[in-house]
Amino acid sequence: MTETPSRMLRLLSLLQNSRDWPGRKLAERLGVSPRTLRRDVERLRDLGYPVQANPGVGGGYRLEAGAILPPLLLDDDEAVAIAVGLRTAAGGSVADIEDTSIRALAKLEQVLPKRLRSRVNALQMYTVPMFTVAPTVRPESLTSVAQACRDQERLRFTYRKRDGETSSRLVEPYRLVHVNRKWYVLSWDLGRQDWRTFRVDRMESLLSTGVRFQQRELPAEDAAAYVAQSITSSLAGYRALVTLHAPVEVVAERIRPRDGILTEVDDRTCRLRSAADSLEWLALTIGMFGIEFEVHEPPELIDYVKELSERLARAASPGPDRSVAVAPARDTPISGPAAG
């Protein structure tokens, strides 16, 4: 009997971590029999926590929303992450949440152990935010998208583009990403049959359809880097596709997230999709990887790489009487990738 309270807290913690728990799997995690699990579930119900049991092959246990907020059971890293997040939100890009964040932070820091409070203070002290003007997002929009990602439920909404044009979208949301003080959701667009990135502040009339979907393989392992590159590509003047003659893990150590998105071709080659406003910048960036490569597109980059290679070859060839060749000026300045 002395183990029952701690086991019930563990059960409550597990129910908070996933929407649905098959009974057999939940019993295995707790190290108890299905009968003991049923008794513990009944005890939670007696305490006012609405644990729903769904019979059948696809059934299981689920913690529903109720009149009582259950105690949140956090490990050390989760507690630090929430505290730092609340401090950031107190002056951040989520609309009408600053005061609420401060109140929640006061409650959390009151019960944080000293070792965790020092970690939070160190992170906050040595983190310098870059303040920029950014659109605010309604908290309910973020939570709706996050829950749809977690529960693998399709979302329907009206999307407003930069030019004000609107369209109806039905998507399978996968990841919520914060880039340059803006919130984005990486989704599979059912209408376009392709991956799309949407800004949450431009998503209107959000509706969770209740329809579940099967997980697809993400277009990249690093969702944040993929979203950042997608934003850059949508604004950049040139989009490049390059084959690099080296294993993907070797190339990954040499590039930055803003340099592009890598995909493996085989154990000796990989593909890079990159974008920038300048052909010169693209050629310079790719050339600095120190890896043999082939440019497939755009045609302007192929022509520029040929021109550049000839110029460099002439520069490396000795000759007493060579005329000076000046490359023609281009319309676009030499600059880095466009900001998202």
Side-chain angles (χ1 to χ4, degrees):
M1 292 296 294
T2 56
E3 296 180 355
T4 302
S6 61
R7 191 176 66 243
M8 289 178 64
L9 285 175
R10 174 64 175 158
L11 171 59
L12 193 57
S13 176
L14 290 172
L15 289 171
Q16 291 171 359
N17 286 338
S18 179
R19 177 172 178 177
D20 295 292
W21 274 100
R24 183 178 300 276
K25 185 175 180 181
L26 194 55
E28 290 175 355
R29 291 289 296 271
L30 293 169
V32 299
S33 66
R35 183 178 180 182
T36 300
L37 173 62
R38 289 194 292 271
R39 286 203 301 264
D40 287 348
V41 167
E42 285 301 323
R43 292 189 181 101
L44 288 180
R45 288 170 176 163
D46 291 341
L47 292 173
Y49 301 124
V51 182
Q52 180 179 340
N54 298 316
V57 177
Y61 292 98
R62 173 189 300 183
L63 182 63
E64 299 285 358
I68 301 175
L69 179 67
L72 293 176
L73 306 175
L74 308 171
D75 61 28
D76 286 2
D77 291 338
E78 290 171 339
V80 170
I82 290 176
V84 173
L86 287 171
R87 286 189 177 186
T88 303
S93 58
V94 182
D96 303 323
I97 204 172
E98 294 87 352
D99 292 341
T100 307
S101 299
I102 292 173
R103 292 198 303 270
L105 180 62
K107 292 180 180 179
L108 180 59
E109 291 195 334
Q110 181 178 350
V111 297
L112 276 180
K114 184 177 180 180
R115 69 180 189 281
L116 299 185
R117 193 178 295 115
S118 63
R119 285 175 59 184
V120 172
N121 291 335
L123 275 171
Q124 199 71 21
M125 182 179 300
Y126 293 101
T127 301
V128 180
M130 182 178 68
F131 293 101
T132 58
V133 178
T136 55
V137 180
R138 290 177 296 129
E140 55 267 27
S141 295
L142 287 177
T143 54
S144 295
V145 173
Q147 288 171 359
C149 292
R150 179 198 65 188
D151 299 336
Q152 299 176 34
E153 288 188 0
R154 291 177 177 175
L155 274 178
R156 189 183 299 278
F157 56 90
T158 300
Y159 191 66
R160 176 173 43 84
K161 297 181 181 179
R162 279 198 306 270
D163 58 7
E165 180 185 350
T166 60
S167 60
S168 179
R169 302 296 182 102
L170 178 64
V171 306
E172 297 174 351
Y174 279 79
R175 296 289 187 274
L176 194 59
V177 180
H178 194 215
V179 179
N180 295 334
R181 296 179 62 82
K182 299 182 183 71
W183 289 96
Y184 298 86
V185 57
L186 174 61
S187 306
W188 177 262
D189 191 318
L190 292 163
R192 277 67 175 176
Q193 285 296 297
D194 199 1
W195 293 99
R196 290 290 188 270
T197 299
F198 301 98
R199 260 178 55 174
V200 178
D201 62 292
R202 292 178 178 164
M203 298 166 65
E204 302 170 353
S205 304
L206 270 169
L207 175 64
S208 180
T209 64
V211 178
R212 306 289 286 271
F213 60 85
Q214 293 295 322
Q215 286 273 5
R216 302 173 189 267
E217 184 178 354
L218 288 172
E221 291 185 6
D222 190 335
Y226 181 87
V227 169
Q229 180 61 23
S230 298
I231 299 165
T232 299
S233 298
S234 67
L235 300 175
Y238 298 101
R239 298 174 180 83
L241 176 62
V242 180
T243 294
L244 298 164
H245 293 275
V248 66
E249 59 270 14
V250 172
V251 180
E253 295 178 353
R254 303 190 184 189
I255 74 170
R256 302 160 297 180
R258 69 178 185 179
D259 290 335
I261 300 298
L262 282 175
T263 55
E264 185 177 15
V265 176
D266 52 42
D267 58 356
R268 294 182 296 176
T269 58
C270 58
R271 288 280 174 86
L272 172 73
R273 290 189 178 274
S274 186
D277 284 332
S278 165
L279 292 173
E280 292 87 348
W281 182 267
L282 277 171
L284 176 65
T285 300
I286 298 168
M288 289 181 64
F289 296 156
I291 294 170
E292 294 290 327
F293 65 91
E294 301 172 38
V295 180
H296 303 291
E297 57 184 56
E300 299 92 333
L301 181 59
I302 296 174
D303 292 340
Y304 179 73
V305 169
K306 290 179 180 177
E307 173 192 321
L308 179 61
S309 64
E310 293 170 359
R311 195 185 323 148
L312 293 175
R314 289 193 299 270
S317 300
D321 189 20
R322 286 184 307 176
S323 59
V324 178
V326 180
R330 299 183 180 275
D331 294 334
T332 54
I334 299 178
S335 61

